[in-house]
Amino acid sequence: MVTEKPVKNMNKNKNKTSGVYKTAAKVLKKVKTGSSYKTQLYQAQYPNKLLLNAVLMNVFKWERVIDVLVEKSKILEKENMDRELVYILITEMMWSKFGLVGSAKNLLAVKKYKAEFLQIMKDNDLEKLTTSTHTKVLIPRFFRVNTLLTTIEKILEKLSNLKFIKLKTPKSYAQFLELIKSEKFEEKNVFVQDIHIKELLVFNSKVKFYEIEEYKNGSLIVQDKASCLAAYLLNPEPNSTVLDMCAAPGMKTSHLAAIMQNTGKLYAVDRNKERFHIMQNMLQTYGVQNVETFNMDALTFPYYDDVKYILLDPSCSGSGIVNRVRNDSLGQNQNFQTRLKKLANVHAQLLNHALKSYPNLERLVYSTCSANHEENEAVVDEALSINGKFKLLDCTKMVKGWTNKGAPGYDSSEMCLNAIPSVDCTNGFFISVFVRRDLEDNEVAKKEENIDDTENVKEEKVVEDIEVDEEEEDVGDIEVDEEKKVIEYNEIVNKKVKKVKKQSISNSDINVKNKSEIKKNKKLKNIKVEKVFEDNEIVDKKVKKVKKSSITNMDNNLEKKSQIIKNKNIESTPLVKSKNAKRRERRLKLEKANKSSGLQTTKAKKQKKVKVEQT
Ligand SMILES: C[S@@+](CC[C@H](N)C(=O)[O-])C[C@H]1O[C@@H](n2cnc3c(N)ncnc32)[C@H](O)[C@@H]1O
């Protein structure tokens, strides 16, 4: 268990409940009422996100046992304490390495129950309950070689120097899965090159490279295979123009840049300021040079005529992520169902917007890390039904040997790809690929040709010297695999942002300023929004010239405006069968019918006008 650090911290604060416990309790409460775990983790007022995550993951792991302990001991009624805090404290007391240290009132109240809890566990065989109900799906650790900074060959050489053994990549996907699920793969010093994505290396789940230079400098990136499949399936050509609509923290953006070999143009848009800053840092570290970043709502992003490829990977329920939170309890939660509906509506809104607004769009990948059909196949079906210009490509044909298609019962089922943790050894993920109907669809063949047979490398037996944290296995990941680094950046960026805020400036203010200019001038095609790699110092100098008050006003105006747009979009989204939605459906039918005769509905004309004004 990764609880060494909290205890060290607690020793310094013996007389009060540790901040991490209080914060963890707050996050837990919000997650239990349907909020996204990841968002709450990011937003929590506790700087050490890794520690916070470790504490919370331990609670999720033991939750069912604690349910019984709480019920049988009646601790909540007797002590009149906050439920979530009790869950956190019980977990720490019973299963952390050093137990609860300190003499705060809350801590002492819980400590009284230790003997009783042990007895309840013994009488009810609760340990057994834990292991049987928390069968953990162990997914391997995927490292993507960042070909913007290094080559696969160099990394293979480095791994060989580190005494790692490269196993031969089997010829079929079935054999490949067999290998990574086999006992052979449990050895810590073996790895295999992925069968589909050749820059992806697959290791035992315990392997981590946090100390090696290539990891630190961004040459090796921890990224789950399912997440890599999105950029892999979009497969943008070098020198093309690509829009990543929901880009932060930038994992897929950086993969796209690598596929494009840093050529062409890559627009990375994200509306979340904090994540946007993280992305800027990440992309810089990862050597991405063909990107322009925009801290704004993708729905208000100006339409660039040259956009040929779009990646849409919106914020979702995250229910596909292995060991995140108990899916069953979430599923029963009324608030979660409401949230799911809202998310699906927002996804549909973004997808329809993308398919309609970019005149030269040829290919779009829509992906989520959700296991919920409402956010996946249902959204795709809806989008196809109202965007006749596009059709789906068969994803599983493009990823040789992949068997998990979309969930049955939807028009799009057969064409979509689902990644299933227990089968595919990745996090749960959903992908669909849209292409314009009038294009030759030779894409499938092109993709299939791309899959190389990885060469057979001589296996050598040598001593493994990479640090492996045995205890890490106990900590379920959110998207920690890929986000551990993000969190580190988050902390660095937070510090930077705080400093910059004091001077009333920030990188994103530059963006805000530019966005405001866009709006003022309405010269959409000529805007130049801040380049991602603008050095902070240069930015500082620029921003100092901008008056504090005018920036704040612009910021407020933008926020208000985007809120209005957002509300409007959510209200009129097709999955909410509200009056608006029904009206819209009728209008779309009418538009379709009128299309052949060249007629346009008044509403369509009005909307076109509004769109121009919005941008
Ligand atoms: C699943 S994450 C994207 C992960 C990212 N593609 C990656 O691979 O690193 C979803 C992101 O979408 C952003 N987002 C959600 N709605 C958005 C919108 N309307 N416009 C721009 N960004 C949006 C969120 O802020 C969040 O950062």
Side-chain angles (χ1 to χ4, degrees), residues 497-506 509 540 543-544 546 548 551:
V497 170
K498 265 185 202 158
K499 198 176 152 196
V500 172
K501 263 186 187 166
K502 271 185 192 161
Q503 306 160 342
S504 301
I505 54 172
S506 75
D509 288 335
D540 282 354
V543 181
K544 269 173 192 161
V546 183
K548 187 180 173 182
I551 291 173

Side-chain angles (χ1 to χ4, degrees), residues 365-472:
V365 162
Y366 169 67
S367 61
T368 75
C369 54
S370 165
N372 299 92
H373 312 164
E374 294 91 328
E375 293 178 90
N376 301 336
E377 293 85 351
V379 172
V380 171
D381 273 13
E382 184 80 38
L384 278 175
S385 72
I386 55 178
N387 293 284
K389 255 170 64 175
F390 288 87
K391 63 175 185 176
L392 292 176
L393 284 185
D394 188 341
C395 287
T396 53
K397 271 195 189 161
M398 293 184 277
V399 190
K400 222 175 184 173
W402 202 276
T403 51
N404 291 312
K405 295 180 177 258
Y410 293 90
D411 294 344
S412 56
S413 304
E414 283 299 299
M415 307 300 267
C416 302
L417 178 151
N418 260 307
I420 311 235
S422 55
V423 178
D424 299 303
C425 297
T426 66
N427 272 305
F429 210 73
F430 170 85
I431 306 185
S432 55
V433 184
F434 290 73
V435 279
R436 239 183 39 217
R437 278 187 188 279
D438 59 353
L439 298 173
E440 284 286 303
D441 56 343
N442 55 3
E443 313 277 352
V444 176
K446 198 171 87 187
K447 251 309 172 192
E448 280 180 342
E449 279 164 18
N450 270 349
I451 298 165
D452 292 342
D453 286 330
T454 329
E455 87 278 22
N456 181 3
V457 168
K458 207 172 65 189
E459 297 183 12
E460 0 163 8
K461 197 84 190 145
V462 261
V463 191
E464 185 256 336
D465 63 358
I466 295 287
E467 189 199 347
V468 174
D469 187 352
E470 299 290 345
E471 289 175 354
E472 209 192 3

